[in-house]
């Protein structure tokens, strides 16, 4: 099967340059490399914002406009809305049956976020289930790759565990072990014993030769029928049918852009620049950025490595500008406002094509809705296919 990528974002506010450099840029690159599914994780937003739905309502389509502005192309990738695909909730429920509570309690973001978002009561059932809902999002598309930031790695890990457990519990026909024993009993005792030995040699010591020999034997052993052979093959290899696919996080080699104050860029810290922020506000914010505290007066030398503006130069400036900054800062040859100008220019230049792309979607909101609608139809048919396999495996296809 062709490898797919899938990722989502929570619609909790206007996207900022941190999202662009940390994730979106990567999504844009991926869309031409493999089939990509990107969705608005509105249910996930509700796990933390269940008391302020307005925030989410306002931001769903705004976020899609930010995506399109950044260069996601609905001809190349599939864009959709989580809450329009109830199969995500169905898979979440079914996965929940066999997921130990401890798995969820131990996910590091669970306690971290409860600490960080003290103003919200996150001792809810929904919030505990956050990573399992995310697992359902991923597994329902059999996605191999999940482009996300470092902070999401533990969720992808839990997704792999959920897939493994599901395949282990349901990837085999009912009474598999007994049927294997019946097949083995058809063979002469010493042959059955040899098969058992080869199985151990392969599964415990990785002895591929032993496996090969055993497979050759069962391929021709007289008393076995085709079903026996298939069962014994799975038994020797230690595999069941793979129903759900274990995904991998695809971490952005972060050209990571911190916030205006050097901390992580986040709207709630008030240190962010929105993707479609207006020009005057960008100029104002960058001019007010803190700099190396050693540069009190224009004549005081400074050190770029202690200045958040430098982090922006690393993203936005070429080598010669960076050299100009380093020298000018260290020997007080330039002032901080002067130093910030190329950063302002860089942000505006990066933003220009995004504003142009956003324009038509702002004036024609129906276009955005149509894009999401079509993407949702496409995604849903994939999700439904997976759910057919899942229901059958779990004995729910009466
Ligand atoms: N938890 C992700 C975040 O906060 C959003 C998300 C929800 C997601 N479901 C997903 C990301 C599935 C990747 C895959 O960024
Ligand atoms: Fe920062 Fe530039 Fe000022 Fe140095 S000159 S402290 S790098 S803003």
């Amino acid at each position: 099967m062709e490898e797919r990528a899938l990722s989502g974002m929570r619609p909790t506010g206007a996207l900022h340059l941190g999202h662009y450099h940390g994730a979106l840029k990567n999504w844009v690159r991926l869309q031409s490399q493999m089939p990509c599914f990107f969705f608005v994780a509105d249910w996930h937003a509700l796990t933390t914002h269940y008391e302020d739905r307005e925030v989410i309502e306002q931001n769903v389509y705004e976020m899609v406009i930010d995506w399109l502005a950044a260069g996601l192309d609905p001809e190349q990738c599939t864009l959709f809305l989580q809450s329009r695909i109830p199969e995500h909730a169905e898979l979440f429920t079914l996965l929940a049956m066999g997921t130990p509570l401890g798995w969820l309690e131990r996910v590091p973001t669970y306690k971290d976020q409860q600490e960080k978002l003290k103003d919200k009561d996150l001792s809810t059932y929904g919030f505990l289930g956050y990573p399992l809902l995310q697992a359902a999002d991923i597994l329902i598309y059999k996605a191999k790759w999940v482009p996300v930031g470092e902070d999401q790695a533990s969720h992808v890990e839990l997704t792999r565990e959920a897939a493994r457990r599901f395949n282990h519990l349901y990837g085999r026909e009912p009474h598999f072990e007994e049927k294997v024993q019946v097949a083995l009993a058809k063979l002469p005792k010493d042959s059955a014993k040899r098969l058992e030995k080869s199985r151990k040699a392969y599964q415990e010591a990785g002895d591929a030769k032993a496996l090969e020999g055993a497979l050759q034997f069962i391929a021709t052993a007289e008393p076995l029928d085709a079903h026996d052979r298939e069962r014994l093959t799975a038994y020797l290899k230690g595999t069941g049918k793979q129903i759900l696919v274990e995904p991998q996080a695809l971490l952005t080699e972060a050209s990571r852009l911190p916030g205006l104050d050097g901390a992580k860029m986040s709207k709630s810290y008030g240190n962010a620049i929105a993707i479609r922020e207006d020009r005057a506000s960008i100029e104002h914010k960058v001019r007010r950025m803190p700099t190396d505290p050693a540069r009190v007066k224009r004549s005081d030398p400074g050190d770029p490595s202690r200045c958040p503006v430098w982090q922006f130069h690393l993203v936005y400036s070429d080598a010669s500008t960076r050299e100009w900054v380093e020298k000018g800062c260290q020997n007080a040859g330039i002032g901080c406002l002067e130093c910030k100008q190329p950063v302002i220019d860089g942000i505006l230049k990066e933003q220009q094509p995004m504003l142009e792309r956003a324009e038509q979607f702002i004036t024609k909101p129906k276009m955005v809705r149509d894009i999401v609608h079509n993407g949702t139809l496409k995604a849903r048919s994939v999700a439904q296919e997976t759910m057919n396999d899942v229901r059958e495996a779990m004995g729910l296809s009466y």
Side-chain angles (χ1 to χ4, degrees), residues 31 68 76 85 109 113 116 139 141 165 202 214 235 241 259 308 312 319 350 363 365 370 376 387:
Q31 68 179 344
L68 296 165
Q76 292 188 71
I85 304 193
T109 50
Q113 291 293 100
K116 258 199 197 141
L139 297 174
Y141 299 101
R165 185 162 170 80
Y202 173 67
Y235 177 67
K241 197 166 134 208
F312 279 63
E350 173 180 81
T363 51
D370 287 346
T376 301
M387 284 317 294

Side-chain angles (χ1 to χ4, degrees), residues 93-251:
T93 300
L94 294 179
L95 291 175
M97 304 308 172
T99 300
L101 267 184
W103 284 14
L104 294 167
E105 287 161 346
R106 275 196 299 273
V107 172
T109 50
Y110 179 57
K111 292 238 159 62
D112 284 2
Q113 291 293 100
Q114 284 185 334
E115 289 285 306
K116 258 199 197 141
L117 306 175
K118 275 245 161 65
D119 56 319
K120 297 187 197 299
D121 179 4
L122 294 184
S123 50
T124 57
Y125 179 54
F127 190 67
L128 180 66
Y130 186 113
L132 195 64
L133 178 58
Q134 184 163 349
D137 297 337
I138 298 167
L139 297 174
I140 208 163
Y141 299 101
K142 301 190 174 171
K144 179 83 203 289
W145 301 107
V146 187
V148 283
E150 197 94 56
D151 62 318
Q152 298 292 312
S154 63
H155 296 174
V156 180
E157 179 64 39
L158 179 113
T159 304
R160 274 201 294 279
E161 278 162 10
R164 218 173 293 146
R165 185 162 170 80
F166 186 94
N167 291 336
H168 176 74
L169 289 173
Y170 309 115
R172 291 179 162 178
E173 61 187 330
H175 310 295
F176 175 78
E177 299 284 342
E178 291 151 47
K179 288 178 178 164
V180 164
Q181 291 310 320
V182 170
L184 285 173
K186 292 184 185 171
L187 297 169
K189 273 224 167 75
D190 59 323
S191 305
K193 260 194 193 145
R194 263 190 294 124
L195 283 183
E196 193 56 42
K197 249 189 170 164
S198 305
R199 185 180 83 96
K200 286 219 168 98
Y202 173 67
Q203 290 186 19
E204 288 165 22
D207 185 343
K209 274 241 174 72
L211 175 66
E212 202 182 318
L215 291 177
Q216 260 165 22
F217 174 76
I218 56 169
T220 52
E222 274 298 333
L224 303 175
D225 64 24
H227 292 296
D228 295 330
R229 293 197 172 102
E230 198 178 313
R231 277 173 203 133
L232 287 178
T233 301
Y235 177 67
L236 290 167
K237 290 184 178 169
T239 52
K241 197 166 134 208
Q242 185 189 259
I243 299 167
L244 298 178
V245 176
E246 288 184 41
Q248 292 279 317
L250 195 61
L251 300 176

Side-chain angles (χ1 to χ4, degrees), residues 291-292 295 302-304 307 309-310 313 325 328-329 334-336 339-340:
T291 60
D292 177 358
R295 294 208 72 183
D303 175 0
C307 175
V309 179
W310 177 242
H313 277 295
V325 171
C329 183
I334 59 173
C336 288
C339 177
K340 287 169 171 177

